[in-house]
Amino acid sequence: MECVNVKELLSDYIDDTLDQETRETVEKHLSTCEGCAEELASLRSLVEELGSLEKVKPPADFLNQLHERLDAPSGFTKIVRKLFVPFHVKIPLELATATLLAVLVFSVFHTQFAEKQMMQAPLEQKTMESNEIGAIKKKEVSLKKRPSKPKATFEALSRIEKGGEMDVSKPDEGIHKPMELTLLLKKRGRERVMRKPMALGDTRTAERESTADEEKPYPASAGATAEPYFTEQLKHLIEKEGGKVLSVEYDSKTGLPSTIQAEIPANCYQTLYDQLKDIASSLESAPLSPQEGQAILPLKLKLRYSE
Amino acid sequence: MTEDDAALVRAFQAGDKAAFDRLVLKHKDNLFNLVYWYLNDYQQANDCAQEIFIKVFKNLKRFRFESAFSTWLYKIAVNTCKNMLKSATHRREKMTVPLENPEGSKGKNPVFGVPDTGPSPANGLERKERLILIQEAINSLPEEQNRVVVLRDIQGLSYDEISEITGMKPGTIKSRLSRGRLELRNRLEGKV
């Protein structure tokens, strides 16, 4: 066995972990090789020296230190103590902080809500507000009126969805703008309407009509088609309620009346509406009320026809 | 496992907290010595040793007696030391603590050192210097050799115990120990 191989085995030889045969081979080599024998001696000395080193001892109060660390509060307990102890100092402070935070949060949300309302205001009003210095009052008025608008629109839409033949929509806010009523008329309805004045008109007129033109459609001077009769009928109803017809527009394609502009006393609107409802024959819900304090109510009757 | 250790562990598991103190008192010196040779810093060794016993305290109820208590304790110790050596804190604070006063600035009497066996103070000083050299030489060894040399030659553990603690095979332990010893001998050769 070579010296290199023996030197690799010296550590195991010292620890006596070599098998018998290898051990004998190493011993035989060591007995003849002075260098390897010296190597063994120095290694054995080192191992013995390391084994005889005095142990480093812990501090005398090691166990006490350990108890202190074992008894030390956990991280959670430390946090609780930091937050709530002593109670008479920290809880009032925490309450004051919470109140301040609540006030701050409320003020922030309040400001945002106001800005949101501004964003939802009609563009027209916004323009006015931006152009006019005294727009604050108008803004307040518009904000008060605003809730009625979506309600009216909703009611009108719901009527359409229900299949109603008469659609009532309120013009956008303006007091002087006419109230629009859309009347969808069927032929049957029109035929029935032509006879309706007997029931709708006052008693004297009804009697006169029944004696003079019992077999004729109302009015006696009407043409061959029903639509002019219907126009006259509407004029009659409006005038009967103290109003007047301002203009009649005709559709250029069909030649039929399409729009009637009129105005009536506001307090007579309900009566007229009921009569129109009979003409349209399918109006189910109540009409929108005119503006409070309005004496004369402009009307715009849109006439639509169906087979 | 010695009967004493097993009995103490069972007593602790049965609710006897004092049994843990007796285990600490029994093993603290060996454990501390091991940790000190690994970390090479007395204060850090103290912190680390306490940390190890805290881990033991927290896990002792789950100890299944599948190995000796001392082996389990050393296993925890080796892993804790390894983690501490990896930590940036240790690398930053690592320093060579003089063997004559390993407690550093605390000013306490040295608990580690060379017994004054000779009549001459110079003899004691030489031995202390020799120990410092040994300490530096061991700490300069590659980590895998350092572990094995400390466990085998300083702590006096058997190959089987080392294998169980470190997870290394006996063959690996032998070769690393052989290389470590030769390397150590070469580094100390001609010094003091």
Side-chain angles (χ1 to χ4, degrees):
Chain A
M1 188 177 281
E2 298 293 324
C3 288
V4 177
N5 299 327
V6 171
K7 283 179 182 176
E8 284 179 358
L9 296 171
L10 289 179
S11 178
D12 291 341
Y13 181 78
I14 291 168
D15 287 338
D16 197 17
T17 54
L18 294 173
D19 58 71
Q20 184 65 29
E21 187 183 350
T22 311
R23 184 177 181 80
E24 286 174 3
T25 309
V26 170
E27 283 176 344
K28 188 178 176 183
H29 179 86
L30 286 171
S31 63
T32 58
C33 180
E34 194 175 337
C36 287
E38 284 180 5
E39 184 91 4
L40 174 66
S42 66
L43 271 179
R44 183 169 276 163
S45 171
L46 175 70
V47 171
E48 285 173 358
E49 189 175 15
L50 293 176
S52 65
L53 289 174
E54 188 164 326
K55 288 181 177 173
V56 182
K57 293 180 181 176
D61 61 344
F62 181 83
L63 190 60
N64 290 335
Q65 287 182 29
L66 182 62
H67 280 168
E68 282 175 14
R69 285 182 66 169
L70 282 170
D71 296 338
S74 64
F76 177 75
T77 313
K78 282 180 184 173
I79 290 169
V80 169
R81 282 187 184 175
K82 276 187 180 176
L83 290 175
F84 299 109
V85 178
F87 292 105
H88 68 281
V89 174
K90 292 198 175 174
I91 288 182
L93 273 175
E94 286 160 3
L95 281 174
T97 309
T99 309
L100 185 64
L101 276 174
V103 169
L104 280 172
V105 168
F106 176 77
S107 62
V108 167
F109 276 99
H110 184 71
T111 309
Q112 286 182 347
F113 180 71
E115 285 175 358
K116 197 176 178 183
Q117 279 189 325
M118 289 284 289
M119 293 292 287
Q120 289 174 346
L123 184 62
E124 187 178 333
Q125 287 181 359
K126 276 190 179 177
T127 310
M128 289 171 68
E129 284 161 11
S130 62
N131 292 336
E132 295 176 15
I133 297 170
I136 298 171
K137 280 187 178 179
K138 289 182 181 178
K139 179 186 165 191
E140 288 172 355
V141 169
S142 68
L143 287 171
K144 284 179 184 174
K145 287 176 182 174
R146 198 180 304 123
S148 64
K149 182 189 170 191
K151 185 181 173 186
T153 308
F154 175 76
E155 286 176 1
L157 286 170
S158 63
R159 281 176 211 133
I160 293 168
E161 286 175 2
K162 285 175 184 173
E165 293 180 49
M166 182 172 187
D167 181 34
V168 180
S169 61
K170 186 179 175 183
D172 194 12
E173 300 292 0
I175 293 172
H176 301 295
K177 288 184 179 177
M179 179 169 285
E180 288 186 8
L181 292 119
T182 304
L183 279 73
L184 185 62
L185 303 167
K186 290 181 179 177
K187 276 190 175 179
R188 249 177 62 183
R190 274 180 270 142
E191 286 163 0
R192 181 170 60 83
V193 166
M194 285 190 290
R195 297 182 183 87
K196 203 67 180 175
M198 306 300 283
L200 297 173
D202 58 50
T203 313
R204 195 173 48 189
T205 308
E207 284 173 355
R208 180 171 55 81
E209 300 296 342
S210 65
T211 53
D213 295 299
E214 197 166 347
E215 298 301 319
K216 292 179 182 176
Y218 180 88
S221 59
T225 59
E227 286 73 22
Y229 294 137
F230 183 70
T231 308
E232 292 298 320
Q233 171 73 11
L234 287 174
K235 283 181 181 176
H236 173 74
L237 290 176
I238 291 165
E239 287 169 3
K240 187 164 68 69
E241 295 302 329
K244 59 179 178 182
V245 174
L246 301 175
S247 66
V248 178
E249 294 174 15
Y250 290 86
D251 186 86
S252 59
K253 292 181 180 176
T254 61
L256 296 173
S258 60
T259 306
I260 298 176
Q261 300 272 7
E263 58 183 18
I264 60 163
N267 56 1
C268 296
Y269 175 76
Q270 184 64 50
T271 310
L272 177 66
Y273 182 87
D274 291 337
Q275 292 173 353
L276 293 175
K277 184 181 168 184
D278 284 337
I279 292 170
S281 78
S282 63
L283 187 62
E284 293 174 356
S285 56
L288 296 172
S289 299
Q291 298 285 336
E292 284 182 15
Q294 191 175 0
I296 301 298
L297 180 67
L299 280 179
K300 187 177 182 180
L301 303 179
K302 291 184 177 177
L303 308 181
R304 302 285 182 267
Y305 304 96
S306 67
E307 291 301 319
Chain B
M1 175 185 291
T2 63
E3 188 59 33
D4 282 346
D5 281 351
L8 289 170
V9 171
R10 287 199 178 89
F12 177 82
Q13 290 177 339
D16 181 9
K17 301 287 182 191
F20 175 74
D21 288 354
R22 292 199 289 278
L23 281 168
V24 172
L25 291 172
K26 185 179 175 186
H27 292 279
K28 69 181 173 64
D29 288 351
N30 275 335
L31 181 93
F32 194 94
N33 190 55
L34 171 73
V35 173
Y36 176 78
W37 278 98
Y38 274 180
L39 299 181
N40 198 27
D41 180 276
Y42 189 85
Q43 193 53 48
Q44 286 219 349
N46 191 31
D47 289 342
C48 186
Q50 289 187 21
E51 187 67 34
I52 291 162
F53 278 116
I54 288 169
K55 286 181 182 176
V56 169
F57 181 83
K58 287 179 179 175
N59 294 286
L60 194 54
K61 290 228 168 186
R62 293 193 290 274
F63 183 67
R64 300 290 178 211
F65 300 94
E66 290 166 357
S67 65
F69 170 78
S70 60
T71 305
W72 181 64
L73 175 67
Y74 277 36
K75 207 171 185 174
I76 293 172
V78 168
N79 288 330
T80 308
C81 288
K82 207 181 281 184
N83 292 335
M84 192 164 273
L85 285 168
K86 281 180 186 171
S87 72
T89 309
H90 177 83
R91 285 197 296 273
R92 193 170 55 249
E93 295 178 356
K94 187 175 181 181
M95 62 183 109
T96 303
V97 178
L99 289 170
E100 59 269 25
N101 184 13
E103 287 187 286
S105 59
K106 291 178 113 180
K108 294 181 180 177
N109 293 327
V111 287
F112 173 81
V114 181
D116 191 7
T117 53
S120 164
N123 188 30
L125 188 62
E126 280 179 10
R127 292 176 66 88
K128 285 176 184 175
E129 286 174 354
R130 172 74 177 167
L131 279 172
I132 292 170
L133 287 172
I134 291 172
Q135 188 182 32
E136 287 174 352
I138 288 177
N139 285 321
S140 67
L141 289 175
E143 187 180 329
E144 63 274 13
Q145 293 176 18
N146 173 291
R147 298 281 171 275
V148 178
V149 169
V150 169
L151 288 170
R152 173 65 187 162
D153 291 339
I154 294 177
Q155 293 297 116
L157 299 181
S158 68
Y159 282 76
D160 290 341
E161 285 174 317
I162 296 169
S163 177
E164 200 169 349
I165 290 164
T166 61
M168 289 187 284
K169 292 176 181 176
T172 308
I173 295 168
K174 282 181 184 178
S175 63
R176 286 182 179 177
L177 183 63
S178 176
R179 274 184 267 129
R181 282 170 172 170
L182 285 170
E183 187 66 33
L184 196 57
R185 199 278 315 273
N186 293 339
R187 292 184 188 197
L188 289 170
E189 203 170 35
K191 292 183 180 176
V192 185

